[in-house]
Amino acid sequence: MPSSISSFDKKRAAYDQYLVSFTKGRSDGRFGISLVVALGTMVSCWNALLATGAVPFSAPSLSQAEDNRTRVVEFMRSPESEIAITGTSLTYRLPTSAFNSSTKNVALAGGSSSSSATIGATVRPSILVIELNILDREPDTDLEELSRLIRNPPFGIPALATALSPTRAAIAAVYHLDEIFDERLQAERKSLPLLLDALPAEITQGADLDHAVEAWENRPSRSEVEEKSARAIVSAAEQVETNGGNAFYVLLPLDPRLAATEYASRGVEAAKAIDPEFQERLLSVQWAYDQIRWDPDGAHLDQRSAIVVARQISDAIDQRMRADISGPVGHQENQ
């Protein structure tokens, strides 16, 4: 009996020592190698699917931040277009189907116009349109970095893999999100002439507009952020022009009461102070105010007005390109 106890104690002591020292046996090494190989195979297969375009473009999102991330990924993955539209939620609603040339919209709802412009410039469009209405939002450096990683191989596919997880892709495939997106785009195109043939909505000015005007009048100055945004926007414009393209600034129309606030002019004043070519890049648009209506907040265009504004911007771009203006142009008609 004592000898058996002694043998047991020795085995237990050896095992305890193994646990303490974390000594690796041959089986441990084989398991670790197998685990690494399995993970590597899964990642390789996923990246291969992404590279072939077999993964759905559309992905579900649960927040505005996720929606903007998905929007950037879709923008970077979609076919090249002549025009890239950038900005904030004011520009987000502009339908690309209303433009005369192939157009992509990477405006970020609730986001930074400068980050949107930076992302738009990465795809080297022939024409980059940059909204200047709101420049007091901090840049989203994570989204900017994501766009650069997607654009520049060999890091593009892994960056895309983190943005479009297998779970999101599976949900998109099961619920046919790509098909739903395409159907909505087709319906949007078919509805354009019907909406334009309809009369503009009734003009209403309620409590929501009063609150919006008060908020804009009392919004604190963020001159440092506005200056930083303006510099980033100028950099994006210069990047496109260096590659042989054209960059245009645009001030979207606002309800007259909002347009009269000091906050409404901060963005354009910041850009004007930074960019010596501001007047040349500013797109001249004579807004059809009798056809334009806004949501109750007085800032965001309603569906019909978004079409009207998109077409006016498109026509103004065509006019500029036909004129082949080389010197300063007339100032855009402000709000």
Side-chain angles (χ1 to χ4, degrees):
M1 180 67 69
S3 61
S4 63
I5 294 176
S6 175
S7 176
F8 175 78
D9 288 342
K10 289 180 180 179
K11 291 180 179 179
R12 181 171 181 176
Y15 185 70
D16 289 344
Q17 184 63 32
Y18 165 77
L19 293 178
V20 171
S21 63
F22 292 99
T23 302
K24 295 182 179 180
R26 292 182 179 178
S27 59
D28 297 325
R30 287 195 296 269
F31 175 77
I33 293 173
S34 300
L35 183 61
V36 171
V37 170
L39 290 174
T41 302
M42 292 173 63
V43 171
S44 299
C45 291
W46 176 239
N47 286 340
L49 286 172
L50 288 169
T52 59
V55 177
F57 271 65
S58 303
S61 57
L62 300 176
S63 66
Q64 190 173 80
E66 287 186 5
D67 184 61
N68 282 340
R69 187 178 180 85
T70 299
R71 190 173 180 85
V72 170
V73 173
E74 291 176 352
F75 177 81
M76 301 302 296
R77 291 183 70 196
S78 59
E80 299 294 334
S81 67
E82 183 176 354
I83 301 174
I85 310 171
T86 66
T88 64
S89 59
L90 304 185
T91 307
Y92 188 96
R93 298 186 178 187
L94 298 184
T96 56
S97 54
F99 284 77
N100 300 326
S101 304
S102 60
T103 303
K104 296 198 294 186
N105 188 336
V106 72
L108 305 174
S112 163
S113 189
S114 65
S115 289
S116 179
T118 299
I119 294 167
T122 61
V123 300
R124 299 182 179 181
S126 298
I127 298 172
L128 180 68
V129 179
I130 307 172
E131 172 213 318
L132 293 183
N133 292 74
I134 299 175
L135 297 187
D136 65 342
R137 294 174 181 168
E138 291 284 355
D140 192 327
T141 53
D142 289 340
L143 285 182
E144 293 177 19
E145 182 63 19
L146 174 65
S147 69
R148 282 191 288 267
L149 289 174
I150 294 174
R151 183 69 180 178
N152 300 312
F155 304 107
I157 296 303
L160 196 57
T162 61
L164 285 177
S165 67
T167 302
R168 288 173 182 261
I171 294 173
V174 169
Y175 289 96
H176 306 287
L177 296 187
D178 275 357
E179 290 85 347
I180 292 174
F181 177 81
D182 290 339
E183 289 174 0
R184 287 179 178 173
L185 185 59
Q186 293 298 326
E188 176 186 277
R189 289 172 177 166
K190 292 179 180 178
S191 69
L192 292 184
L194 298 176
L195 287 170
L196 290 176
D197 287 342
L199 294 174
E202 294 289 335
I203 298 177
T204 59
Q205 294 189 346
D208 289 338
L209 180 57
D210 293 338
H211 294 154
V213 171
E214 181 180 1
W216 281 43
E217 287 178 338
N218 296 313
R219 189 162 299 189
S221 175
R222 305 187 70 191
S223 56
E224 291 184 2
V225 176
E226 290 164 354
E227 180 180 345
K228 181 167 63 174
S229 296
R231 292 188 184 281
I233 283 173
V234 173
S235 176
E238 292 175 344
Q239 179 182 337
V240 169
E241 291 168 350
T242 299
N243 292 321
N246 293 274
F248 297 123
Y249 302 148
V250 65
L251 284 169
L252 295 184
L254 301 169
D255 181 275
R257 290 180 60 192
L258 282 184
T261 64
E262 183 266 341
Y263 175 72
S265 63
R266 288 182 191 170
V268 66
E269 292 301 327
K272 190 184 298 183
I274 295 296
D275 189 0
E277 298 183 34
F278 175 85
Q279 293 293 349
E280 183 176 351
R281 290 178 175 142
L282 187 62
L283 196 62
S284 179
V285 185
Q286 304 298 318
W287 301 118
Y289 280 103
D290 61 325
Q291 297 293 315
I292 297 175
R293 302 290 185 271
W294 295 268
D295 282 353
D297 64 4
H300 297 88
L301 299 163
D302 68 14
Q303 186 179 11
R304 182 183 181 278
S305 300
I307 299 171
V308 171
V309 168
R311 290 208 163 177
Q312 286 202 264
I313 293 174
S314 183
D315 290 342
I317 292 173
D318 290 345
Q319 183 179 357
R320 281 288 299 271
M321 299 305 293
R322 285 194 301 267
D324 192 25
I325 298 176
S326 59
V329 299
H331 194 286
Q332 174 184 3
E333 179 181 306
N334 291 334
Q335 323 306 336

